[in-house]
Amino acid sequence: MYVVGGSASQLLSKELANCLKAKLAKVEIKRFPDDECYVRIDEDLDGEEVFVVQTTWPDRNIVELFLLQDAVYEFDVSSLTTVVPYFGYARQDKQFLPGEPISARALARLIQLNTDEFVTVDVHAPSVVDWFDDVSARNVHAYPCVGRYLKGKGIDLVLSPDEGRADNAKRVADVVGCESDFLVKTRLDGETVEMAPKSLAVEGRKVAIVDDIIATGSTIAKAAEQLRRQGADKIYAVCTHGVFAKNGLEKLRPACDQICSTDTIENPTTCISVASEIARIARE
Ligand code: R5P
């Protein structure tokens, strides 16, 4: 069994290989002077069960994924599972206006052309896996890994920044062994959100705000502001996918005591691996 790691998912590929007791394939990945991508797998994958791991964000990583899949299928592999830890474009999972594409579907259709199975993690709209109509597709949850990490931090309360993700906060809190609650968020535009006032039992307590994605950081910044006003002692901002667009990380640093994300997107806040959950699902 081999894990082939794309350049966007090096840490996770290594961890996944450990968890699966698989070999980490030697792969050469480079860019031509015109920025086109070149990949070469320096292993014999004939007869092997292979996992290709590559986040599809930003865009240049999508092409790299297609090349890795194609290179794997040049061998006579026994199976190929494509793992996309962070599925870019998942937020455009429907037509909001006439004339738009369904971007998540466009990606799904292309990815499934060259794989036997597909796995992603905390995909923004779970319905996205339904666009994989030719291959088995699964969405893995990060909450067990996030919960185990927060348990070691002595968190008193796990908070979702909106009601829509309250179930996820509850699942994390159950692993931690503490309470959960949610805030009431309204999104005004891509970079602006409002939090309705809500009285929370946070005074002198350690609170973790848990979300699927931190994009611009506006959601967490507003949530943290409200928690500080109400006297929270420590604020942890935790997400599965740390995108941190538009200097999102710099915006959040003063607002939170710690910012933490998983290895679905490798960035300076990555401190939790989702490899064990992917491996668990892969063995089922
Ligand atoms: C929204 O539905 C998501 O769960 C996140 O709350 C959102 O993507 C975060 O975006 P931002 O960091 O730009 O506020």
Side-chain angles (χ1 to χ4, degrees), residues 63-112:
V63 174
E64 189 185 305
L65 171 65
F66 294 154
L67 300 186
L68 289 170
Q69 288 179 308
D70 198 78
V72 169
Y73 269 160
E74 279 297 305
F75 296 93
D76 187 16
V77 296
S78 78
S79 68
L80 167 55
T81 301
T82 299
V83 180
V84 175
Y86 172 59
F87 192 98
Y89 291 93
R91 283 178 283 184
Q92 181 84 21
D93 64 326
K94 59 182 172 208
Q95 268 196 328
F96 297 92
L97 293 171
E100 290 177 349
I102 299 174
S103 310
R105 183 183 61 190
L107 238 71
R109 284 179 174 162
L110 292 170
I111 293 168
Q112 72 174 352

Side-chain angles (χ1 to χ4, degrees), residues 158-166 169 181-184 208-211:
V158 176
L159 209 55
S160 164
D162 57 53
E163 196 171 356
R165 306 245 162 222
D181 206 331
F182 60 87
L183 291 166
V184 182
I209 314 163
V210 175
D211 209 350

